[in-house]
Amino acid sequence: MKKWLSTLVILCCVAFHVHAADEGVEDYAYYGFEPDIVTNYISNRKKLGFVKISVELMVKDPNDLVSLEHHDPLLRSAIVEILGNQAEDKVKSLSGREEIRRECYETVNRLMEQEVGKAIVVNLLFTKYLYD
């Protein structure tokens, strides 16, 4: 009898722990721009500077991926415009790269708010960032 009672208590504790852990889990999803974004930036040299980035947008609700896919051309255009207006020093510095990322994030959320009525992007990540 004690064995059954011990087993039952352990099973209840495990079931409660698993249920409590599931409630705290966020169901994030990612949307990646394909192909990578390639554009020029303002260069200090005679040679034309370019930057190639991979961008991933993080959203809380996987259903928002449909909206991001639908508005991909608008968001891509905004990111290309932001990158094209950057100075070489900003593109090549870590702090400048973070400023560019933040500006892209804010712009993407502003555009999505205009298009779908809410800012759906939780974070914007540069998963690849190459420049010359």
Side-chain angles (χ1 to χ4, degrees):
M1 181 71 166
K2 282 186 179 182
K3 199 176 204 182
W4 279 100
L5 186 57
S6 306
T7 306
L8 183 62
V9 169
I10 290 172
L11 287 175
C12 288
C13 289
V14 168
F16 177 75
H17 179 70
V18 168
H19 178 70
D22 284 345
E23 288 178 359
V25 173
E26 296 287 337
D27 194 19
Y28 291 109
Y30 294 88
Y31 177 79
F33 289 94
E34 291 293 331
D36 291 347
I37 296 173
V38 180
T39 189
N40 299 319
Y41 60 84
I42 301 169
S43 178
N44 299 333
R45 304 168 285 154
K46 289 183 179 184
K47 182 181 173 190
L48 193 61
F50 76 91
V51 62
K52 177 180 181 179
I53 61 171
S54 292
V55 178
E56 299 283 333
L57 302 176
M58 183 172 139
V59 294
K60 277 189 179 180
D61 185 0
N63 296 324
D64 290 334
L65 294 176
V66 175
S67 295
L68 290 174
E69 183 176 6
H70 179 73
H71 295 290
D72 180 296
L74 174 68
L75 303 177
R76 176 183 287 276
S77 173
I79 293 170
V80 167
E81 186 176 338
I82 290 168
L83 290 166
N85 290 323
Q86 303 304 318
E88 182 175 8
D89 297 339
K90 194 170 185 180
V91 169
K92 291 184 175 183
S93 74
L94 288 176
S95 61
R97 180 168 113 177
E98 176 58 23
E99 288 176 34
I100 294 167
R101 188 201 65 80
R102 196 172 315 117
E103 185 179 349
C104 290
Y105 167 73
E106 291 167 359
T107 301
V108 163
N109 260 336
R110 182 177 43 77
L111 290 170
M112 290 308 293
E113 193 166 347
Q114 290 172 357
E115 296 299 320
V116 298
K118 63 181 180 175
I120 60 175
V121 177
V122 175
N123 201 356
L124 182 143
L125 308 166
F126 289 157
T127 54
K128 184 190 306 177
Y129 191 89
L130 304 170
Y131 58 82
D132 181 36

